[in-house]
Amino acid sequence: MMIRGLYVHIPFCSYKCPYCDFTSLVRSPVGFEDYTAFLLREAELYRDLNIRLETLYLGGGTPTLLSPGQIGALIDELGSIFDLSGLKEVTVECNPETYRFGEFRELLRAGVNRLSLGVQSFSEEGLKRLGREHGVQESLEAYIHARDAGFENVSIDIIYGYPGQRVEDIEIELESIGELNPDHVSAYMLTPHENTPMGMKILGGELEIPEEETLGDIYDRLWKGLKGLGYERYEVSNWAKGGKECKHNLLYWTMEEFLGLGVSAWGFFGGRRYGNTKNVMSYVKALSEGKKPLQSEVLLNEEDLFEEELMLRLRLKWGLGEEDMELIPERLRGFFEIKGGRLGIREEYMLLSNEIITEVLLYNSDRNSTEVRNG
Ligand code: SF4
């Protein structure tokens, strides 16, 4: 197989959001230039693989703390290690307070053709409740400047289900999305991670997230609103217009091979899934010694591969073929629909997707072990 996707993790942030459990450093012991030099050393270790990249994704952290010049130089250097001649999609995650027109122009010239803007909410109240440090005006400016600079593929990230969110608050998000008309929307439900300040408060009862019923209503309004605005959902948390699905993420969700570089990055190739260390000093140390900065590496057996692919494909709106209905237990079939020969969870049940997917996986692992037992 050929590796067509590369994820690069840039772990720097100018502040730490209270709900964030990504690997992001406000005070890094390693500077930007040194870090990108280590990224390239890591890339060198994979030079001999069959890599012809079609997608490149710079995520974080806040990749746009790097200047467009630094990002451009990184892409050029990666081009001297991997074959980038077939590159179709180059995404950079951008925090709204970081870049303006001039930087966006430079970024486009550096070969980046897709932006993922971390708006999170178009309501000041929402941003405050999420503990974000940027304001709505900064998001609007960043979006408009990016469009004026020439970006034709812009995605916006939204978070819902944060403490104190009411059903009617989702209208503010929908109204702004309707006005700005981004090509892609990712809407994630807030996850209270126990290793984050906000997660601890939620789990400890000090902060309250919306109750199940309210959350259901928020979600209902969200997907119906996005649908009304012409967005098509293609994954549990992702919507696109005009064929602008994220090509890079689609590689993950269809179990294609991809490479991950940088602190905490993941990769999958040759049936192996690996994860890099989350500690930037361990990352630097391993690479200084010419070693891969791995924290984990697992060889997936046939059953693992089947389960993982099934799980990922169930998250896609039309990830399975109609013949795969046999993988769905009878009692759950009402949650699914078939269209054009493809099978997926019905839109109105997507909020229950985690529960549905768990049950489908359990059913299939029981089925597989029975088949093995019966020879
Ligand atoms: S900007 Fe993003 S990566 Fe950085 S702390 Fe906030 S949520 Fe985490």
Side-chain angles (χ1 to χ4, degrees):
M1 249 172 119
M2 188 171 61
I3 296 175
R4 297 193 289 139
L6 171 64
Y7 173 81
V8 178
H9 192 77
I10 309 291
F12 311 112
C13 279
S14 51
Y15 54 87
K16 186 77 184 174
C17 304
Y19 59 86
C20 172
D21 88 325
F22 296 123
T23 301
S24 64
L25 303 162
V26 176
R27 276 173 294 279
S28 168
V30 182
F32 298 170
E33 294 284 346
D34 287 342
Y35 181 76
T36 48
F38 280 107
L39 281 174
L40 295 168
R41 279 203 205 188
E42 190 187 1
E44 282 288 353
L45 301 176
Y46 294 101
R47 185 189 270 277
D48 294 337
L49 291 176
N50 185 15
I51 298 178
R52 188 159 185 270
L53 295 178
E54 290 176 18
T55 68
L56 170 60
Y57 193 108
L58 267 67
T62 308
T64 47
L65 282 185
L66 265 57
S67 69
Q70 285 171 319
I71 292 178
L74 176 62
I75 297 173
D76 286 349
E77 299 274 2
L78 286 170
S80 66
I81 302 170
F82 304 131
D83 180 358
L84 301 188
S85 61
L87 212 49
K88 293 186 185 132
E89 182 189 270
V90 183
T91 304
V92 168
E93 287 180 355
C94 172
N95 271 17
E97 70 277 18
T98 50
Y99 278 13
R100 288 296 173 265
F101 183 82
E103 284 101 351
F104 286 128
R105 273 306 270 269
E106 252 191 87
L107 199 63
L108 263 178
R109 279 194 213 114
V112 176
N113 59 11
R114 184 172 184 272
L115 269 191
S116 171
L117 208 54
V119 169
Q120 316 312 350
S121 174
F122 284 104
S123 120
E124 295 292 358
E125 184 62 23
L127 289 174
K128 208 167 94 196
R129 288 180 183 273
L130 283 165
R132 295 293 303 210
E133 291 202 357
H134 69 272
V136 174
Q137 189 55 30
E138 282 174 307
S139 295
L140 298 175
E141 264 180 42
Y143 182 87
I144 292 163
H145 285 214
R147 286 298 203 198
D148 286 350
F151 271 96
E152 289 176 1
N153 195 351
V154 181
S155 176
I156 277 178
D157 274 7
I158 292 291
I159 297 180
Y160 65 94
Y162 53 76
Q165 190 181 28
R166 300 158 308 169
V167 181
E168 55 268 36
D169 293 333
I170 210 71
E171 301 303 333
I172 302 174
E173 316 298 354
L174 290 168
E175 216 173 280
S176 301
I177 291 170
E179 272 167 30
L180 298 176
N181 196 24
D183 306 281
H184 186 280
V185 177
S186 298
Y188 298 104
M189 185 162 69
L190 181 80
T191 312
H193 298 285
E194 57 188 8
N195 56 339
T196 64
M198 187 179 285
M200 274 192 305
K201 282 189 186 164
I202 293 171
L203 297 170
E206 216 182 304
L207 259 182
E208 267 181 45
I209 47 175
E211 290 190 1
E212 217 167 288
E213 205 186 323
T214 311
L215 199 57
D217 291 343
I218 289 175
Y219 178 76
D220 221 45
R221 185 61 202 111
L222 175 71
W223 76 258
K224 285 180 182 154
L226 287 173
K227 195 172 185 176
L229 291 171
Y231 290 92
E232 236 177 86
R233 181 212 294 271
Y234 67 102
E235 197 263 354
V236 172
S237 311
N238 288 278
W239 286 259
K241 252 186 187 179
K244 298 271 182 66
E245 291 90 1
C246 177
K247 293 184 174 63
H248 182 80
N249 286 343
L250 278 170
L251 292 180
Y252 300 153
W253 297 326
T254 51
M255 282 291 278
E256 292 249 7
E257 298 189 322
F258 66 94
L259 195 66
L261 299 178
V263 184
S264 77
W266 285 86
F268 171 64
F269 60 85
R272 274 168 213 277
R273 188 168 291 292
Y274 71 84
N276 279 351
T277 172
K278 294 184 174 179
N279 181 303
V280 75
M281 288 319 289
S282 311
Y283 178 78
V284 165
K285 183 168 179 288
L287 287 163
S288 305
E289 293 166 0
K291 294 184 201 146
K292 289 180 185 162
L294 300 179
Q295 177 168 295
S296 62
E297 192 176 21
V298 191
L299 179 64
L300 302 178
N301 62 29
E302 228 173 276
E303 201 180 321
D304 299 333
L305 288 167
F306 168 79
E307 274 194 7
E308 201 156 315
E309 180 156 5
L310 181 58
M311 189 261 290
L312 291 167
R313 286 187 173 274
L314 281 165
R315 289 185 60 88
L316 286 172
K317 181 68 192 90
W318 300 114
L320 297 168
E322 62 182 319
E323 66 284 0
D324 295 319
M325 191 59 112
E326 62 163 38
L327 302 173
I328 314 298
E330 290 264 358
R331 66 179 190 290
L332 293 182
R333 291 190 180 170
F335 291 105
F336 286 78
E337 62 181 328
I338 291 174
K339 195 171 148 191
R342 305 300 298 168
L343 170 73
I345 297 176
R346 282 178 190 276
E347 191 100 50
E348 59 270 36
Y349 298 123
M350 278 283 186
L351 192 60
L352 300 173
S353 58
N354 282 344
E355 288 82 350
I356 297 173
I357 292 170
T358 308
E359 290 228 17
V360 173
L361 292 178
L362 267 174
Y363 171 74
N364 282 280
S365 89
D366 287 351
R367 223 167 59 133
N368 287 343
S369 49
T370 313
E371 273 170 21
V372 171
R373 275 202 305 276
N374 294 341

